Amino acid sequence: MGEKKTTTGEGLGFYKEYVAGMMAGLATVAVGHPFDTVKVKLQKHNTDVQGLRYKNGLHCASRILQTEGVKGLYRGATSSFFGMAFESSLMFGIYSQAKLFLRGTLPDDGPRPEIIVPSAMFGGAIISFVLCPTELVKCRMQIQGTDSLVPNFRRYKSPLDCAVQTVKNEGVTGIFRGGSATLLRECAGNAVFFTVYEYLRYHIHSRLEDSKLKDGYLVDLGIGVFTGGLGGIACWSAVLPFDVAKTIIQTSSDKATERNPFKVLSSIHKRAGLKGCYAGLGPTIVRAFPANAAAIVAWEFSMKMLGIKRD
């Protein structure tokens, strides 16, 4: 992506990376949450023992709109805004700082996988501990609704009520249900995302080096949309099975439910085949491009506004 030349050594300048990351998270939820709601419902109800509930993502989305309106697509968004703002702030901030640390005195001659991958995986591992409880609340809120095609789940009045009831009924460890699947998804997913994003951005900017378009506002916007969008598609294509397992684990309130993501996926594969392991693929891929494009554009322009210089 062309390594960042930051002002992290000047006073408390390092905080800017985290502020920019927070803006990326808010943009991600605003654009991507409706797609995520459809994805979660497909993962929950199209992999259970009763068989398929929805024909596809479009069918699921239309059912939600018919019965609950637009607000149904944003069910659970409150916890997502808080969770993603904090998670994204940590992810982008830790990733940027880890890259600077690992690069050390190495020449700034383009992206290096030995720097990108461990930085992204380290950031992913840290944020998985933040994401796990917030996504558990989000997923449990999302599967509630009045849709006649699925049972009428109305257990929780609000995200806070969901969190309180989960801890009350399942203990403190209950709020971290699905932690292993979240860790695997975040480590692998962020490694793929940042690798694709960094290399695409670097090579596009290299081709524009001698062009008058190099510093254009619309060009930067277009590159951000393209690299962030393709990075998101690559990421989710690689880790969706872990996300399916996470959803199944987190939306079950039965303490005896299997929590090993690999065993959960094996069980899903026996019931629904490979298609079951990729439940929600349609809305996930459709969401991946605009949501991750919005995240990268928000991140890059926030850094520019905050005075973080980049090549």
Side-chain angles (χ1 to χ4, degrees):
M1 98 189 190
E3 300 303 324
K4 294 187 287 299
K5 292 181 179 179
T6 71
T7 56
T8 55
E10 301 176 6
L12 296 177
F14 70 89
Y15 82 91
K16 295 179 181 179
E17 299 277 8
Y18 294 88
V19 173
M22 179 181 68
M23 299 309 296
L26 294 175
T28 300
V29 177
V31 173
H33 192 82
F35 299 101
D36 188 65
T37 297
V38 173
K39 177 204 72 174
V40 169
K41 287 211 172 194
L42 286 171
Q43 289 176 343
K44 170 63 177 176
H45 300 296
N46 281 26
T47 58
D48 63 15
V49 293
Q50 282 78 33
L52 297 178
R53 298 282 188 173
Y54 300 106
K55 297 176 183 178
N56 50 47
L58 184 61
H59 179 223
C60 180
S62 66
R63 291 296 309 177
I64 295 172
L65 288 171
Q66 288 173 24
T67 56
E68 300 181 74
V70 175
K71 69 177 183 180
L73 291 173
Y74 277 92
R75 185 176 294 280
T78 302
S79 63
S80 278
F81 273 114
F82 284 107
M84 279 298 295
F86 187 44
E87 171 266 322
S88 217
S89 175
L90 282 178
M91 182 63 234
F92 282 97
I94 291 172
Y95 172 70
S96 299
Q97 297 299 308
K99 274 206 313 171
L100 287 173
F101 175 78
L102 291 176
R103 176 169 290 280
T105 57
L106 291 174
D108 185 8
D109 56 357
R112 294 170 177 264
E114 68 271 23
I115 293 175
I116 297 171
V117 173
S119 297
M121 293 187 72
F122 177 61
I126 297 297
I127 66 169
S128 67
F129 293 99
V130 177
L131 271 178
C132 185
T134 59
E135 288 209 358
L136 180 141
V137 171
K138 173 187 71 68
C139 288
R140 291 190 176 188
M141 291 297 295
Q142 284 175 318
I143 64 170
Q144 295 188 142
T146 57
D147 192 337
S148 60
L149 289 184
V150 297
N152 185 16
F153 292 102
R154 283 291 183 183
R155 296 184 55 190
Y156 310 114
K157 299 176 182 178
S158 66
L160 179 59
D161 179 53
C162 178
V164 171
Q165 284 199 45
T166 298
V167 173
K168 181 180 178 180
N169 298 328
E170 302 173 47
V172 176
T173 58
I175 203 73
F176 286 96
R177 179 189 290 268
S180 296
T182 305
L183 177 65
L184 289 168
R185 186 195 69 179
E186 290 306 307
C187 287
N190 280 292
V192 172
F193 173 77
F194 281 107
T195 298
V196 172
Y197 163 69
E198 295 263 23
Y199 274 90
L200 283 175
R201 187 180 189 282
Y202 176 77
H203 287 295
I204 292 174
H205 275 281
S206 295
R207 289 181 175 276
L208 294 176
E209 188 66 35
D210 299 320
S211 172
K212 294 180 180 180
L213 299 174
K214 180 182 177 183
D215 299 317
Y217 175 86
L218 290 179
V219 173
D220 282 346
L221 177 64
I223 293 174
V225 169
F226 181 73
T227 57
L230 290 187
I233 289 176
C235 164
W236 283 101
S237 297
V239 301
L240 186 60
F242 289 133
D243 189 62
V244 172
K246 181 193 73 68
T247 297
I248 299 303
I249 295 168
Q250 290 187 326
T251 53
S252 173
S253 58
D254 184 356
K255 294 181 180 180
T257 298
E258 178 61 62
R259 299 193 186 193
N260 183 315
F262 295 103
K263 290 183 179 180
V264 171
L265 286 173
S266 177
S267 177
I268 293 173
H269 187 268
K270 289 178 181 178
R271 292 197 305 267
L274 186 61
K275 182 178 180 180
C277 295
Y278 277 87
L281 178 63
T284 298
I285 296 302
V286 171
R287 168 188 179 271
F289 193 97
N292 287 279
I296 288 300
V297 169
W299 182 48
E300 291 185 343
F301 279 93
S302 293
M303 287 197 296
K304 183 175 292 188
M305 293 293 291
L306 290 167
I308 301 175
K309 297 180 181 179
R310 309 175 63 193
D311 287 340

